[in-house]
Amino acid sequence: MAEIEKRKLSSSSSSSSTTSTLILQFAPLQSLVDEGFWRRLSSLKLDTLGIDQSPINITGFYAPCSHAQVSNHLTLLAESLPPEVGEQSSDGTIVRGNRNRCPVPGILYNTNTLESFHALDKQSLLKAEAKKIWEDIHSGKAEEDSSVLLRFLLISFADLKKWSFHYWFAFPALVLDPAATLIDIRPASHCFSLEEGESLSAACNEWRNSSLTADVPFFLISITNSCATIRPLRDWKTCQGDDKKLLFGFYDPCHLPNNPGWPLRNFLALISSRWNLEKVRFLCYREKHGLADLGFSLVGEALIPVPQGWNDPEFIPNAVGWEVNRGKKIPRCITLANSMDPTRLAIAAADLNLKLMRWRALPSLNLNMLSTTKCLLLGAGTLGCQVARMLMAWGVRKITLLDSGKVAMSNPLRQSLYTFDDCINGGDLKAEAAVKSLKRIFPAVEAEAIVMAIPMPGHPVPTQEEDGVLEDCRRLQDLIASHDAIFLLTDTRESRWLPSLFCANANKIAITAALGFDSYLVMRHGAGPLCFPPDIRNGAEDDLSVSMDNLSTQDTRGRLGCYFCNDVVAPIDSTSNRTLDQQCTVTRPGLAPIASSLAVELLVGILHHPDGMCAAAEIATSSSSGSIEQPLGILPHQIRGSISQFSQMTLVGHSSSSCTACCNTVVSEYRKRGMQFVLEAINHPTYLEDITGLTELMKSASAFDLGWDNETDDENDAEM
Amino acid sequence: MGVPTNWDGTLSSSEFYVSARSLSEKWKTTYPALPSWSWNSCARPFGCTSVEIQGYLSLQHFCCPKFVEEEIGDEIYEEEEPTSTTKDEPTDDATLAHSYDQVLHFYDLHIVYNISYRVPVLYLRGYHSDGQPLASDDIEKDLPYHSSKLIKDSRWTFMTVEEHPYLNRPWYLLHPCGTSEWMKLLLAGDAFVPEREELVQQYLLSWLSVVGQVVGLRVPLEAFKNVTTPHTAADA
């Protein structure tokens, strides 16, 4: 304590003379702009300002430093701007008296273009603000309201399309010329007696806790007989007296141990020009835990030489103060796209929703795989629309929709991607309208439309159209090759033949959904005959399917069937010569959403199964009989349901050696002869039956049913 | 009157307010070195007919204790050409040149009552010293090692993004699923069950002792003085 006594300011003449030549250096203010400020500026620009570029008065906030390693920033908040129209707190005035938000008057120049932002004459703008400060000092206004000593200037360009904001702050400071020199600076606790220190702390705390003075950043401290009092600047005259120690106090945002913060600069200008002092003691007031901390606060002593020309009434001092960005004189740029771009927000929300599902229920859910799985939807009708929606709900992002039709007036009611607008003027192309709609639902979907018809067996092609049809075949083949999962969602049986063959050949996941009037079938096709891995384990299969294996024909053991495996006729033209109500498009409206949802759930199951598309079929009652339980539940082969019975069952059907789409013979023949084979199948209805032996078989059968929906009560695993 | 044994670990909104006051007081006296929790009263969100108190607790500008080394070539900041249209301002000897070797991250933490789950929810956001929001990757890097692991593996803590109910912009939050279950374990797991009033007083403090760890905010043990059940976060 004795040492502290010695270092009392009154005995500062003992300071070493080497420090007297040091220029007093001020730590610049740093800016922090809250996201809320940019958001309000954006809506202000859009709703109120338009292209008006007039400067706007804004308010910044700062407080004394209270963190040993971090300076306090001049902060802009949403409240810094005028309130938005219709906002509840419409009085527009900043609430005074908040000790942590001392208001600082500022001005904002927001330009309409980046070019005009760069073209602003920054030096003149800074000068204009400095002039305001200079005038406030000379008019005495600064002594009444000391916050005007700390003005700031902000120039900005708000790029509302990219949610990015270019900006540059200036904290205008009047330059003392010649510069002030430092005599001494040290922690305030070293400069006072214990008694003085306690009194000063108490006075500061009182000042800081009164709502009248808490946000007044400049003040006078007089110490008489170890008793400190704090007064506003306007009381300058009453603070005079020989027996008093006088200090000039200010809220110091700076945390550095040897430098005062920026606000002192204009304060010194005021002290020098109004009160003609040449030697001043100042207190850099800093806090800890909301209370005065004299160990952290600084007391300094400086000499202010008489500045050149300041007694000339027309004179305005030079000003400095443009904020540097990492040591460089360049503007800053902030981007809020992540929190303001609606598309990014939609993506983040969709992802988080799925992650939440993974967190709560399905830890093994592989969202990355789902988002990268490419799905091809053949048909964009009731099934196609609904499957696309369900895929998006599961986080699938790559969807290709293929359809040749146009949206008809009757479609929007059942086909959930279309609206009335898509039907007028002859109707938009379904594939394109569906893609447009998907993007409206979720802008991040990578949806593609393919307008083409699927060549069908039994629909003979005239010679002049042959090339076009073959071109379509190749295109379909390429599409299937470039996707991971193919949904067969067309409204006729025969249009599923070619994709079934291509999927069997390329060993792609194929899922069929088909509707009767009040019943539905959803199934996954087995692996292709030539790609079937020889090491597939049959041992893990449940008892039922093993026993079914015994029933199966000589075709590859355990390979699951495709849509055509149960048929004893090759696909033929099912739409000609029939009345409308015989066409399979007449269904109860609830069926398509049910079947579509099941089809998508089936895909998710396949993708998550360790054996993928080669996974053995499970049926609903078998889960207790020792099969490995997957987190998503069983993975059936076929699901057949009837809405008239409100019932649903899972079935297994193995591949047929005489299947017209996926048997060894057909796929081998296709590999050998390529498109020539396809063309023959299209043009000659009995060709497929001939090569697969179905013709032979049919001769021995007296009758057969055409559609699967007549077989629903045949609960046997319908192996041929 | 004691808490019914079937207490489900939730609070009413007025109890939340009481608990929030209690947390804020205890925090101030026991851990003055940190910024304090303050209550922000808010206008009722649109459509809310409740007459109960609306608002949230907030702890602003919490400086991340970890000083992150500045990455060279940070992409957040666009490098721009210095403007040539204006003359550079004169060099000024009185301006202290800054050193830029450290990057600071700040956090705002809000505790908001969730009316559906009837539990408090921790909302947070991080930002650079100039106000640029931190990306979720940055935030994850700032989290203490144990909590990044916690967030990945735990069934109790899940960081997600939702619109802040009062500020109407996206904030990170720890999902309230499961909160009532572990709060029940934490406060009513013993044979000794505190009185309801006492339970309300200590609810947020106990809750914060768990979720605060995720964001590196340790509730000091002193805060548990005068609190009857000496549970610590380890019990959760």
Side-chain angles (χ1 to χ4, degrees), chain B residues 198-212:
Chain B
E198 202 178 299
L199 183 141
V200 167
Q201 292 279 327
Q202 73 191 58
Y203 188 102
L204 270 187
L205 209 53
S206 306
W207 170 85
L208 194 61
S209 72
V210 178
V211 300

Side-chain angles (χ1 to χ4, degrees), chain A residues 478-649:
Chain A
D478 292 345
L479 280 170
I480 286 172
S482 61
H483 286 76
D484 305 307
I486 289 85
F487 284 87
L488 280 55
L489 309 168
T490 51
D491 55 0
T492 60
R493 249 180 95 252
E494 59 270 28
S495 59
R496 297 165 196 251
W497 175 76
L498 193 59
S500 294
L501 167 65
F502 287 162
C503 288
N505 177 55
N507 206 35
K508 293 282 180 175
I509 296 171
I511 293 172
T512 284
L515 305 174
F517 169 68
D518 57 8
S519 55
Y520 57 86
L521 162 70
V522 177
M523 67 179 291
R524 59 186 171 106
H525 292 192
L530 304 175
C531 316
F532 202 63
D535 59 340
I536 183 81
R537 30 181 203 112
N538 283 315
E541 285 180 17
D542 52 85
D543 295 342
L544 190 52
S545 74
V546 168
S547 68
M548 307 254 157
D549 270 352
N550 299 334
L551 295 173
S552 58
T553 45
Q554 69 278 15
D555 201 58
T556 324
R557 260 190 326 137
R559 190 165 74 85
L560 293 173
C562 77
Y563 182 64
F564 291 95
C565 282
N566 294 349
D567 287 340
V568 290
V569 284
I572 53 158
D573 188 341
S574 62
T575 51
S576 311
N577 309 317
R578 288 179 193 217
T579 59
L580 191 66
D581 60 350
Q582 279 180 296
Q583 291 187 16
C584 51
T585 45
V586 179
T587 72
R588 284 176 64 164
L591 283 189
I594 296 173
S596 306
S597 301
L598 289 172
V600 172
E601 297 294 329
L602 203 54
L603 171 71
V604 174
I606 296 168
L607 292 174
H608 282 83
H609 197 284
D611 296 334
M613 70 181 296
C614 295
E618 293 168 296
I619 58 174
T621 52
S622 70
S623 57
S624 58
S625 63
S627 72
I628 307 155
E629 278 202 43
Q630 298 293 329
L632 285 160
I634 66 159
L635 184 55
H637 176 229
Q638 304 179 11
I639 302 123
R640 293 183 182 223
S642 153
I643 210 113
S644 62
Q645 299 295 313
F646 287 94
S647 70
Q648 181 175 294
M649 58 188 163

Side-chain angles (χ1 to χ4, degrees), chain B residues 5-17:
Chain B
T5 44
N6 60 357
W7 178 62
D8 61 359
T10 65
L11 285 181
S12 72
S13 78
S14 48
E15 286 172 334
F16 170 71
Y17 177 71

Side-chain angles (χ1 to χ4, degrees), chain B residues 224-236:
Chain B
F224 285 94
K225 277 179 194 163
N226 311 321
V227 171
T228 35
T229 41
H231 284 293
T232 63
D235 294 331

Side-chain angles (χ1 to χ4, degrees), chain A residues 388-404:
Chain A
R389 274 181 165 269
M390 290 300 121
L391 286 172
M392 290 213 294
W394 266 107
V396 172
R397 295 280 170 79
K398 298 172 194 292
I399 298 172
T400 306
L401 284 144
L402 181 149
D403 203 297
S404 61

